[in-house]
Amino acid sequence: MTPDLAFLRTGGKPAMARVLARLESHADDPATTALLDAAFQAPKGRSLGLTGPPGVGKSSLANGLLVEARRRGLTIGAIAVDPSSVRTGGALLGDRARLSSLDPEDQGVFVRSMAARGRLGGVSALAYPAVVVMQAVYDLVLVETVGVGQSETEVAGMTDAVALCIQPASGDSLQFMKAGIMEVPDMAVVTKADLGGAARRAAADLRLAMGAAQGAALPVHVVSSQTGEGVAALFDGILEALGPQRSTPRADQAQHWLRAALLDEFGTRGVSGIGPERLRRGTDSPFEFYAEVHKIMANAIADLDFTV
Protein backbone atom coordinates (compact mmCIF):
# COMPACT_ATOMS: atom_id res chain seq x y z
CA MET A 1 0.00 0.00 0.00
CA THR A 2 1.32 3.45 -0.95
CA PRO A 3 1.06 5.79 2.09
CA ASP A 4 -1.28 8.76 1.73
CA LEU A 5 -2.50 11.46 4.13
CA ALA A 6 -5.39 9.34 5.43
CA PHE A 7 -3.00 6.46 6.12
CA LEU A 8 -0.64 8.84 7.93
CA ARG A 9 -3.36 10.29 10.16
CA THR A 10 -5.04 7.02 11.10
CA GLY A 11 -2.12 4.60 11.26
CA GLY A 12 -0.53 5.77 14.52
CA LYS A 13 3.18 5.46 15.19
CA PRO A 14 3.78 2.66 12.66
CA ALA A 15 2.39 4.84 9.87
CA MET A 16 4.50 7.84 10.91
CA ALA A 17 7.63 5.68 11.11
CA ARG A 18 6.92 4.20 7.69
CA VAL A 19 6.39 7.61 6.06
CA LEU A 20 9.55 9.09 7.58
CA ALA A 21 11.54 6.04 6.44
CA ARG A 22 10.09 6.56 2.98
CA LEU A 23 11.36 10.16 2.99
CA GLU A 24 14.88 8.83 3.48
CA SER A 25 14.70 6.03 0.93
CA HIS A 26 12.20 7.22 -1.73
CA ALA A 27 12.28 11.03 -1.50
CA ASP A 28 11.93 11.45 -5.29
CA ASP A 29 9.07 8.99 -5.69
CA PRO A 30 5.90 10.69 -7.04
CA ALA A 31 3.78 9.11 -4.30
CA THR A 32 6.09 10.55 -1.64
CA THR A 33 5.98 13.97 -3.28
CA ALA A 34 2.17 13.86 -3.42
CA LEU A 35 1.96 12.92 0.26
CA LEU A 36 4.32 15.75 1.25
CA ASP A 37 2.34 18.35 -0.66
CA ALA A 38 -0.95 17.04 0.78
CA ALA A 39 0.51 17.32 4.30
CA PHE A 40 1.89 20.80 3.51
CA GLN A 41 -1.54 22.01 2.40
CA ALA A 42 -3.42 20.55 5.41
CA PRO A 43 -1.42 21.24 8.60
CA LYS A 44 -2.97 20.43 11.95
CA GLY A 45 -0.27 21.74 14.31
CA ARG A 46 2.51 24.29 14.73
CA SER A 47 6.27 23.87 15.12
CA LEU A 48 8.96 25.13 17.50
CA GLY A 49 12.72 25.04 17.00
CA LEU A 50 14.90 24.36 20.05
CA THR A 51 18.39 25.70 19.43
CA GLY A 52 21.52 26.44 21.42
CA PRO A 53 25.05 25.14 21.97
CA PRO A 54 25.91 21.49 22.69
CA GLY A 55 25.51 20.48 26.31
CA VAL A 56 23.04 23.21 27.18
CA GLY A 57 20.33 20.65 27.95
CA LYS A 58 18.11 20.83 24.86
CA SER A 59 17.28 17.11 24.95
CA SER A 60 16.33 17.18 28.63
CA LEU A 61 14.20 20.27 28.02
CA ALA A 62 12.53 18.62 25.02
CA ASN A 63 11.70 15.66 27.25
CA GLY A 64 10.06 17.99 29.77
CA LEU A 65 8.03 19.69 27.03
CA LEU A 66 6.87 16.33 25.63
CA VAL A 67 5.67 15.29 29.08
CA GLU A 68 3.96 18.65 29.66
CA ALA A 69 2.20 18.48 26.29
CA ARG A 70 0.77 15.07 27.06
CA ARG A 71 -0.26 16.22 30.53
CA ARG A 72 -2.35 18.89 28.81
CA GLY A 73 -3.86 16.45 26.35
CA LEU A 74 -1.93 17.73 23.33
CA THR A 75 -0.31 15.43 20.80
CA ILE A 76 3.34 16.12 20.04
CA GLY A 77 6.13 15.00 17.75
CA ALA A 78 9.85 15.69 18.04
CA ILE A 79 12.72 15.63 15.58
CA ALA A 80 16.12 15.37 17.25
CA VAL A 81 18.86 16.25 14.77
CA ASP A 82 22.09 14.56 15.81
CA PRO A 83 25.68 14.68 14.52
CA SER A 84 26.32 12.12 11.80
CA SER A 85 28.35 8.98 12.16
CA VAL A 86 31.46 9.13 9.97
CA ARG A 87 31.07 5.44 9.12
CA THR A 88 27.34 5.06 8.53
CA GLY A 89 26.05 8.61 8.03
CA GLY A 90 23.34 7.87 10.60
CA ALA A 91 22.45 9.76 13.77
CA LEU A 92 25.39 9.44 16.16
CA LEU A 93 23.93 10.25 19.57
CA GLY A 94 20.34 9.11 19.23
CA ASP A 95 18.43 11.64 21.36
CA ARG A 96 15.58 9.18 21.80
CA ALA A 97 17.77 7.49 24.43
CA ARG A 98 17.53 10.65 26.53
CA LEU A 99 13.73 10.92 26.22
CA SER A 100 13.19 8.18 28.74
CA SER A 101 10.13 9.24 30.71
CA LEU A 102 7.64 8.67 27.91
CA ASP A 103 5.33 5.70 27.48
CA PRO A 104 6.37 3.89 24.27
CA GLU A 105 2.75 2.80 23.78
CA ASP A 106 1.43 6.38 23.86
CA GLN A 107 0.17 7.14 20.34
CA GLY A 108 0.06 10.87 21.10
CA VAL A 109 3.83 11.32 21.11
CA PHE A 110 6.46 10.45 18.51
CA VAL A 111 10.23 11.05 18.56
CA ARG A 112 12.58 10.62 15.63
CA SER A 113 16.36 11.10 15.45
CA MET A 114 17.83 12.40 12.20
CA ALA A 115 21.45 12.74 11.17
CA ALA A 116 22.69 16.21 10.22
CA ARG A 117 24.72 14.63 7.37
CA GLY A 118 27.20 17.48 7.16
CA ARG A 119 24.69 20.35 7.16
CA LEU A 120 26.10 23.39 8.98
CA GLY A 121 22.75 24.88 9.95
CA GLY A 122 22.16 22.50 12.84
CA VAL A 123 19.44 20.60 10.99
CA SER A 124 19.09 17.83 8.41
CA ALA A 125 18.11 18.28 4.77
CA LEU A 126 15.16 15.98 5.52
CA ALA A 127 14.13 17.86 8.67
CA TYR A 128 11.71 20.24 6.94
CA PRO A 129 9.84 17.50 5.03
CA ALA A 130 9.63 15.61 8.33
CA VAL A 131 8.23 18.71 10.06
CA VAL A 132 5.60 19.02 7.31
CA VAL A 133 4.58 15.38 7.77
CA MET A 134 4.42 15.63 11.58
CA GLN A 135 2.48 18.92 11.49
CA ALA A 136 -0.26 17.12 9.57
CA VAL A 137 -0.76 14.77 12.54
CA TYR A 138 0.38 16.38 15.82
CA ASP A 139 -0.66 19.54 17.68
CA LEU A 140 2.96 20.56 18.26
CA VAL A 141 6.24 19.58 16.60
CA LEU A 142 9.62 20.21 18.24
CA VAL A 143 12.82 20.41 16.21
CA GLU A 144 15.93 20.05 18.36
CA THR A 145 19.05 21.15 16.47
CA VAL A 146 22.57 19.74 16.76
CA GLY A 147 23.93 22.86 18.42
CA VAL A 148 26.65 24.41 16.27
CA GLY A 149 26.76 28.08 17.29
CA GLN A 150 25.96 30.86 14.85
CA SER A 151 24.87 28.55 12.02
CA GLU A 152 21.81 27.64 14.11
CA THR A 153 19.73 30.26 12.32
CA GLU A 154 18.62 27.72 9.68
CA VAL A 155 16.01 26.27 12.02
CA ALA A 156 14.16 29.61 11.94
CA GLY A 157 13.39 29.01 8.26
CA MET A 158 11.47 25.79 8.88
CA THR A 159 9.58 26.35 12.16
CA ASP A 160 6.87 28.75 13.31
CA ALA A 161 8.85 29.95 16.34
CA VAL A 162 12.32 29.46 17.84
CA ALA A 163 13.47 29.09 21.45
CA LEU A 164 17.16 29.76 22.15
CA CYS A 165 18.61 27.80 25.07
CA ILE A 166 21.45 29.22 27.17
CA GLN A 167 23.37 27.66 30.05
CA PRO A 168 24.18 29.77 33.13
CA ALA A 169 27.76 31.02 33.62
CA SER A 170 28.80 29.91 30.13
CA GLY A 171 29.34 33.26 28.43
CA ASP A 172 27.01 32.14 25.61
CA SER A 173 24.88 35.30 25.68
CA LEU A 174 27.89 37.49 24.84
CA GLN A 175 29.07 35.11 22.12
CA PHE A 176 25.62 35.00 20.54
CA MET A 177 25.45 38.80 20.54
CA LYS A 178 28.62 38.75 18.44
CA ALA A 179 27.23 36.07 16.15
CA GLY A 180 23.93 37.84 15.54
CA ILE A 181 21.83 34.85 16.59
CA MET A 182 19.93 37.07 19.05
CA GLU A 183 17.94 38.35 16.07
CA VAL A 184 16.47 34.89 15.48
CA PRO A 185 14.60 33.59 18.57
CA ASP A 186 11.08 34.39 19.73
CA MET A 187 12.04 33.53 23.29
CA ALA A 188 15.07 32.51 25.30
CA VAL A 189 15.38 29.71 27.84
CA VAL A 190 17.97 29.66 30.60
CA THR A 191 18.45 26.02 31.52
CA LYS A 192 19.58 24.58 34.85
CA ALA A 193 17.61 26.99 37.04
CA ASP A 194 18.69 24.87 40.02
CA LEU A 195 22.04 26.72 39.83
CA GLY A 196 20.29 29.66 41.47
CA GLY A 197 22.02 33.02 41.19
CA ALA A 198 23.99 32.09 38.09
CA ALA A 199 20.74 31.30 36.25
CA ARG A 200 19.15 34.59 37.31
CA ARG A 201 22.21 36.55 36.14
CA ALA A 202 22.17 34.74 32.81
CA ALA A 203 18.47 35.62 32.39
CA ALA A 204 19.23 39.30 33.08
CA ASP A 205 22.07 39.27 30.54
CA LEU A 206 19.81 37.64 27.97
CA ARG A 207 17.06 40.23 28.41
CA LEU A 208 19.60 42.98 27.71
CA ALA A 209 21.10 41.13 24.74
CA MET A 210 17.78 40.28 23.11
CA GLY A 211 16.42 43.76 23.68
CA ALA A 212 19.50 45.28 22.03
CA ALA A 213 19.33 42.87 19.08
CA GLN A 214 15.59 43.04 18.38
CA GLY A 215 14.69 46.45 19.76
CA ALA A 216 12.01 44.96 22.00
CA ALA A 217 11.86 42.87 25.13
CA LEU A 218 11.30 39.17 24.40
CA PRO A 219 10.32 36.50 26.92
CA VAL A 220 13.14 34.91 28.90
CA HIS A 221 12.25 31.75 30.82
CA VAL A 222 14.34 30.11 33.53
CA VAL A 223 13.75 26.36 33.77
CA SER A 224 15.16 23.25 35.37
CA SER A 225 14.65 19.94 33.63
CA GLN A 226 15.79 18.19 36.80
CA THR A 227 13.17 19.70 39.14
CA GLY A 228 10.55 20.75 36.60
CA GLU A 229 10.78 24.38 37.68
CA GLY A 230 9.52 26.77 35.02
CA VAL A 231 8.57 24.10 32.46
CA ALA A 232 4.81 24.73 32.70
CA ALA A 233 5.34 28.51 32.39
CA LEU A 234 7.60 27.96 29.39
CA PHE A 235 4.96 25.79 27.75
CA ASP A 236 2.40 28.55 28.32
CA GLY A 237 4.82 30.93 26.59
CA ILE A 238 5.23 28.55 23.66
CA LEU A 239 1.47 28.27 23.19
CA GLU A 240 1.18 32.05 23.31
CA ALA A 241 3.99 32.48 20.76
CA LEU A 242 2.28 29.98 18.44
CA GLY A 243 -1.22 31.32 19.06
CA PRO A 244 -3.78 32.44 16.46
CA GLN A 245 -2.46 36.01 16.55
CA ARG A 246 0.77 34.83 14.93
CA SER A 247 0.69 34.43 11.17
CA THR A 248 2.18 31.19 9.93
CA PRO A 249 4.79 31.80 7.20
CA ARG A 250 4.13 28.54 5.32
CA ALA A 251 5.04 30.02 1.93
CA ASP A 252 8.23 31.56 3.36
CA GLN A 253 9.20 28.24 4.92
CA ALA A 254 8.58 26.41 1.66
CA GLN A 255 10.63 28.93 -0.30
CA HIS A 256 13.45 28.72 2.25
CA TRP A 257 13.51 24.92 1.92
CA LEU A 258 13.29 25.00 -1.86
CA ARG A 259 16.21 27.40 -2.15
CA ALA A 260 18.35 25.43 0.34
CA ALA A 261 17.56 22.08 -1.31
CA LEU A 262 18.34 23.39 -4.80
CA LEU A 263 21.52 25.06 -3.56
CA ASP A 264 22.65 21.74 -2.08
CA GLU A 265 21.97 19.95 -5.35
CA PHE A 266 22.89 22.46 -8.07
CA GLY A 267 24.73 25.37 -6.44
CA THR A 268 24.17 29.12 -6.63
CA ARG A 269 24.27 29.22 -10.43
CA GLY A 270 21.50 26.68 -10.70
CA VAL A 271 19.24 28.53 -8.26
CA SER A 272 19.83 31.89 -9.94
CA GLY A 273 18.82 30.28 -13.24
CA ILE A 274 15.43 29.34 -11.78
CA GLY A 275 14.83 32.88 -10.48
CA PRO A 276 12.99 34.16 -7.38
CA GLU A 277 9.60 34.52 -9.09
CA ARG A 278 9.53 30.85 -10.12
CA LEU A 279 10.56 29.88 -6.60
CA ARG A 280 7.66 31.87 -5.16
CA ARG A 281 5.21 30.22 -7.55
CA GLY A 282 6.51 26.84 -6.45
CA THR A 283 5.52 27.33 -2.81
CA ASP A 284 1.92 26.16 -3.38
CA SER A 285 3.21 22.61 -3.93
CA PRO A 286 6.90 22.89 -3.01
CA PHE A 287 7.74 19.20 -3.11
CA GLU A 288 6.23 18.61 -6.55
CA PHE A 289 7.98 21.78 -7.77
CA TYR A 290 11.32 20.55 -6.42
CA ALA A 291 10.86 17.14 -8.04
CA GLU A 292 10.12 18.75 -11.42
CA VAL A 293 13.09 21.15 -11.23
CA HIS A 294 15.37 18.37 -10.00
CA LYS A 295 14.38 16.17 -12.96
CA ILE A 296 14.95 18.98 -15.49
CA MET A 297 18.33 19.97 -14.01
CA ALA A 298 19.51 16.38 -13.63
CA ASN A 299 18.56 15.57 -17.24
CA ALA A 300 20.33 18.71 -18.48
CA ILE A 301 23.50 17.72 -16.64
CA ALA A 302 23.27 14.17 -17.96
CA ASP A 303 23.05 15.49 -21.54
CA LEU A 304 26.25 17.52 -21.27
CA ASP A 305 29.16 16.30 -23.36
CA PHE A 306 32.39 16.57 -21.36
CA THR A 307 34.56 14.96 -24.00
CA VAL A 308 37.41 17.11 -25.37
Side-chain angles (χ1 to χ4, degrees):
M1 174 185 175
T2 301
D4 57 14
L5 191 56
F7 169 82
L8 178 65
R9 285 177 165 169
T10 59
K13 286 184 174 183
M16 180 61 68
R18 179 176 171 182
V19 168
L20 292 179
R22 189 177 182 88
L23 289 184
E24 296 180 335
S25 60
H26 297 83
D28 298 330
D29 187 88
T32 305
T33 300
L35 172 57
L36 284 169
D37 279 328
F40 174 78
Q41 293 160 9
K44 174 186 177 183
R46 311 293 291 274
S47 56
L48 176 77
L50 281 180
T51 187
V56 73
K58 296 189 296 294
S59 295
S60 297
L61 177 60
N63 184 72
L65 294 175
L66 291 170
V67 172
E68 182 67 16
R70 296 305 291 140
R71 188 183 71 81
R72 299 185 186 210
L74 299 175
T75 58
I76 185 167
I79 300 168
V81 184
D82 282 333
S84 303
S85 167
V86 175
R87 292 187 176 183
T88 68
L92 187 60
L93 298 179
D95 281 277
R96 284 175 292 181
R98 294 194 286 276
L99 304 180
S100 57
S101 60
L102 301 166
D103 179 1
E105 301 301 320
D106 184 357
Q107 296 297 315
V109 60
F110 186 92
V111 180
R112 178 63 174 256
S113 292
M114 284 191 167
R117 297 184 180 179
R119 290 291 289 271
L120 295 179
V123 292
S124 163
L126 292 174
Y128 178 65
V131 169
V132 168
V133 166
M134 285 193 178
Q135 280 183 158
V137 176
Y138 301 108
D139 298 316
L140 178 63
V141 178
L142 300 179
V143 182
E144 179 199 335
T145 70
V146 172
V148 288
Q150 66 192 70
S151 295
E152 294 281 274
T153 54
E154 189 173 337
V155 72
M158 68 172 63
T159 55
D160 299 324
V162 175
L164 173 65
C165 301
I166 301 292
Q167 184 172 260
S170 64
D172 287 332
S173 57
L174 178 60
Q175 293 302 316
F176 285 143
M177 284 181 71
K178 295 177 182 178
I181 199 173
M182 287 300 180
E183 300 172 1
V184 172
D186 300 274
M187 66 189 72
V189 183
V190 177
T191 59
K192 305 177 184 179
D194 40 289
L195 294 181
R200 291 191 295 272
R201 287 191 294 273
D205 290 344
L206 270 174
R207 291 186 179 96
L208 289 173
M210 294 181 75
Q214 300 198 11
L218 289 178
V220 176
H221 297 271
V222 182
V223 305
S224 170
S225 300
Q226 296 296 319
T227 66
E229 176 186 346
V231 173
L234 170 60
F235 202 90
D236 287 337
I238 291 169
L239 294 181
E240 182 178 354
L242 296 175
Q245 77 284 354
R246 183 187 183 96
S247 61
T248 304
R250 300 282 183 221
D252 291 343
Q253 292 169 1
Q255 187 170 346
H256 178 90
W257 176 79
L258 275 170
R259 182 173 178 81
L262 292 168
L263 275 172
D264 277 354
E265 194 75 17
F266 303 110
T268 305
R269 198 67 178 267
V271 173
S272 64
I274 298 168
E277 184 57 36
R278 288 181 181 175
L279 278 177
R280 280 192 291 272
R281 289 202 303 269
T283 57
D284 289 336
S285 299
F287 301 100
E288 180 183 1
F289 179 84
Y290 174 78
E292 290 176 354
V293 172
H294 185 278
K295 182 177 180 179
I296 292 169
M297 301 278 275
N299 288 340
I301 292 172
D303 289 340
L304 291 175
D305 184 1
F306 292 103
T307 59
V308 178

